[in-house]
Amino acid sequence: AQTVTQSQPEMSVQEAETVTLSCTYDTSESDYYLFWYKQPPSRQMILVIRQEAYKQQNATENRFSVNFQKAAKSFSLKISDSQLGDAAMYFCAYRIRKAGNNRKLIWGLGTSLAVNP
Amino acid sequence: KAGVTQTPRYLIKTRGQQVTLSCSPISGHRSVSWYQQTPGQGLQFLFEYFSETQRNKGNFPGRFSGRQFSNSRSEMNVSTLELGDSALYLCASSHPREGSGYTFGSGTRLTVV
């Protein structure tokens, strides 16, 4: 069964500094998607970045980038130049790519990120 | 462009009652998924609908059901509510383009007393 593990329940970072959130996953599949979502107190889950497993290049979205290590099944999120608005719960999620009954997001338990001014 | 709209935002129900939650996806999105979020279990998949058909179902009891209408709006229903059903219920819609990611609504906070 596929699982997603986020080993850091809480993290903190100083404003303008860089922080890396960890995520590991377990799957026997070779073709899948990985996502990082942010959930602020407003509760809405916001897509931060996504990675397609067949692409070796790490995804980047402005201040957010990932370090995707397929062999190690690791998918960490780096936030550069942290801002107060980055404070939120961050969830790592996995989804198989092929059609079928397993086409659902599988989630880690989240990392609560605090940004200190 | 309107986002995913979930109604109501908050709901308080009594044990044994039933409840219906609504989700309107982004225009053009035909897939709607539902997730339950609790502090203990995290986020768990309930079901996915595509073009009015249930395409996937999670490991929840039969008390949890859903449907999708021709305009892609979706409802989920929970019958015979239990205290453990208290949770944030999130709805997500996705674009037909494969792997485009999911857009979530702000959820419905259900409290069962």
Side-chain angles (χ1 to χ4, degrees), chain B residues 49-83:
Chain B
Y49 287 87
F50 181 83
S51 293
E52 302 178 66
T53 301
Q54 187 180 86
R55 192 156 65 173
N56 288 298
K57 189 177 190 304
N59 296 322
F60 279 81
R63 300 184 297 107
F64 291 81
S65 63
R67 58 178 175 169
Q68 187 180 33
F69 302 94
S70 58
N71 61 358
S72 293
R73 189 178 72 85
S74 177
E75 288 181 348
M76 67 163 281
N77 183 277
V78 188
S79 62
T80 319
L81 283 166
E82 300 177 359
L83 296 179

Side-chain angles (χ1 to χ4, degrees), chain A residues 23-44:
Chain A
C23 172
T24 58
Y25 57 95
D26 188 24
T27 183
S28 58
E29 300 289 334
S30 60
D31 201 4
Y32 47 86
Y33 299 100
L34 293 163
F35 304 90
W36 278 98
Y37 278 91
K38 166 186 176 181
Q39 187 178 40
S42 66
R43 305 177 336 199
Q44 185 173 15

Side-chain angles (χ1 to χ4, degrees), chain B residues 85-105:
Chain B
D85 297 333
S86 295
L88 178 66
Y89 290 88
L90 291 165
C91 164
S93 73
S94 63
H95 189 273
R97 183 172 67 85
E98 177 62 32
S100 58
Y102 297 79
T103 303
F104 284 80

